Amino acid sequence: MPTDEEVVQTASEAAEGLIFERYKQSAVRDVDVTVSFEEGVLDVDVYLNAPDDEKAQRVADEAARAAQDAVDDLFAAEQDEPQ
C-alpha cells in the first residue's frame, strides 16, 4: 500500500505535469497545487493563473483529474504486485 507521502507526491507531480504540458512555464503567472490524503480520502485543489481565464480553469480541472487518475494508477499498480 502506498504511503500518504507517495500518494501526495504522485498527485502533485501529475497535476503540475499536465499544467506544464499545456502552458509554457513563462506563461504561467501563478500556480498552486494543494493535495491532501487523509484516512483514504484524496483532496486535490488546483489554482492556475495564466492567460485566457476560461482555458486556465479547464486546464486546472483537468490537472485535478490527472492527479486523481495518477493516484488510482498508483493503487492499482500496488495491487498488481505479487506479495
Side-chain angles (χ1 to χ4, degrees):
M1 178 125 169
T3 66
D4 291 358
E5 184 177 321
E6 289 173 316
V7 170
V8 168
Q9 185 69 30
T10 296
S12 296
E13 288 174 358
E16 289 178 7
L18 186 131
I19 289 167
F20 292 115
E21 284 176 8
R22 306 288 167 83
Y23 286 101
K24 290 183 179 180
Q25 195 163 2
S26 61
V28 175
R29 295 179 196 118
D30 190 22
V31 64
D32 183 37
V33 177
T34 305
V35 179
S36 65
F37 184 69
E38 296 176 13
E39 298 179 16
V41 177
L42 179 68
D43 184 39
V44 180
D45 184 42
V46 179
Y47 168 76
L48 176 60
N49 183 344
D52 187 353
D53 288 340
E54 195 171 306
K55 178 184 175 189
Q57 183 59 50
R58 281 194 314 271
V59 171
D61 292 343
E62 290 170 12
R65 282 192 299 275
Q68 293 167 346
D69 290 346
V71 170
D72 287 346
D73 291 346
L74 178 66
F75 277 95
E78 288 283 329
Q79 288 180 350
D80 290 342
E81 288 183 7
Q83 299 286 324

